[in-house]
Amino acid sequence: MRFHVGLLATAVAAGALLVGCSSTPAEELEDWWSSGGESSIKALSDTSGRVNEVSVRPMDVWSTACQELLTEVAEAKELDTLPSENARGFWEEALTAFEHGGEECVAGAGEDDQPRASEGIREVQKGIGRLASTTSMIAGDLKAK
């Protein structure tokens, strides 16, 4: 009996510590930002910008840029869920647009299908706007802290 009571007391104390140490939404966002969120957003911004740049060049260079973007999307998807409710929808839309657009760009360029590859690039460009909104929302949430 004494063992069970001691175990219960330990469990209650541990639960109280966990509840007492909960993070605020702003702290969770700061943690996400510093644990890969900031670098992922920068990498996505850089690579999607590169896709946008190469879109005015011959199609044979499109695939490489789009594949680089797909690599960054895969890495971004490994991050924890973005804790900002304001930014989360834009973030998910950006990742979806980058992934779908990148896949279409790579496939179209590989098949020498310029309309398909161009459609993929337009989807990536849509994602660039969503990523900008994500960044703006995160900045606002962090500033409001």
Side-chain angles (χ1 to χ4, degrees):
M1 178 81 162
R2 197 187 243 174
F3 174 75
H4 292 295
V5 172
L7 185 59
L8 179 61
T10 301
V12 169
L17 284 174
L18 289 174
V19 170
C21 293
S22 65
S23 300
T24 67
E27 290 170 334
E28 290 175 9
L29 181 56
E30 284 178 345
D31 287 346
W32 182 89
W33 185 252
S34 65
S35 298
E38 179 181 22
S39 61
S40 186
I41 285 177
K42 181 174 180 356
L44 287 167
S45 178
D46 291 348
T47 55
S48 63
R50 183 162 180 269
V51 168
N52 194 44
E53 285 175 22
V54 301
S55 68
V56 297
R57 295 180 45 206
M59 192 170 69
D60 62 339
V61 297
W62 295 5
S63 183
T64 302
C66 290
Q67 189 57 56
E68 289 171 7
L69 178 60
L70 290 172
T71 299
E72 295 302 336
V73 169
E75 289 179 19
K77 288 178 133 186
E78 292 178 10
L79 292 172
D80 290 337
T81 301
L82 176 59
S84 166
E85 289 183 31
N86 294 326
R88 188 176 309 125
F90 290 113
W91 173 247
E92 291 169 359
E93 289 175 14
L95 292 179
T96 298
F98 289 153
E99 184 172 48
H100 181 259
E103 289 170 350
E104 288 299 298
C105 171
V106 168
E111 297 168 2
D112 201 26
D113 181 350
Q114 187 163 359
R116 182 177 184 186
S118 293
E119 179 59 35
I121 287 178
R122 282 191 294 279
E123 186 77 12
V124 170
Q125 290 166 338
K126 177 178 144 186
I128 291 170
R130 298 299 190 268
L131 186 63
S133 295
T134 301
T135 305
S136 177
M137 292 291 172
I138 289 172
D141 286 351
L142 289 174
K143 188 176 183 178
K145 178 188 164 206

